[in-house]
Amino acid sequence: MTGLDRHFAYFAQVEPRVAEALLIPFHVGGVAVGTLWVIAHDQSRKFDSEDTRVLTALGEFASAAYQSLSRSLMLKSVFATIRDPLMVLDDHLRIQTASRSFSESFRLTPEETEGHFLYQLCQGAWEAKA
């Protein structure tokens, strides 16, 4: 895209002037959820197919990161609504996250739980083994 300042007035204030921009949308479930922008200030620099390929790969990474963050935020919101103590463990019984109710019930902080093995909690009082 050239002439960015004609389409987006705030680019008119950018110095040095924007010569060209490469915009690549990233999608989740077939819906565009964001756009990656790369801007060139050098009039002689023109974006090419290799630039597009690299930015498209970054767009795929951005899509995966967006999905991961969305799932994490959704999980946290579900955790906030559950009154019973709840925790998520990985395959080795390491605590990934615990609900506020879990922390309050067992009088443990997130620093004392998250990233630690279940059987390390409460000075090894839990009998679980991986």
Side-chain angles (χ1 to χ4, degrees):
M1 173 182 259
T2 57
L4 228 53
D5 50 354
R6 290 184 309 220
H7 303 286
F8 305 98
Y10 49 88
F11 279 108
Q13 301 170 20
V14 174
E15 289 295 331
R17 189 171 180 278
V18 175
E20 185 177 49
L22 176 61
L23 291 75
I24 301 288
F26 60 93
H27 300 84
V28 173
V31 176
V33 295
T35 305
L36 299 177
W37 293 51
V38 177
I39 296 173
H41 297 279
D42 182 353
Q43 294 288 339
S44 65
R45 171 70 166 95
K46 300 296 179 197
F47 292 113
D48 59 21
S49 60
E50 179 62 10
D51 296 318
T52 302
R53 186 192 68 74
V54 170
L55 200 57
T56 299
L58 286 172
E60 291 169 6
F61 175 79
S63 174
Y66 181 93
Q67 290 176 71
S68 178
L69 177 62
S70 295
R71 287 184 191 120
S72 176
L73 292 174
M74 185 172 54
L75 179 62
K76 286 182 184 202
S77 99
V78 168
F79 265 37
T81 63
I82 296 173
R83 294 183 183 166
D84 294 321
L86 180 67
M87 65 181 142
V88 175
L89 306 172
D90 68 11
D91 295 351
H92 304 288
L93 300 180
R94 186 184 319 262
I95 300 166
Q96 298 299 303
T97 190
S99 67
R100 174 189 276 169
S101 177
F102 180 88
S103 297
E104 290 170 356
S105 296
F106 294 99
R107 296 188 178 109
L108 296 167
T109 66
E111 294 78 25
E112 293 172 304
T113 56
E114 293 176 7
H116 296 276
F117 292 102
L118 177 62
Y119 48 83
Q120 291 175 318
L121 294 185
C122 304
Q123 289 130 3
W126 297 55
E127 297 275 338
K129 294 290 181 193

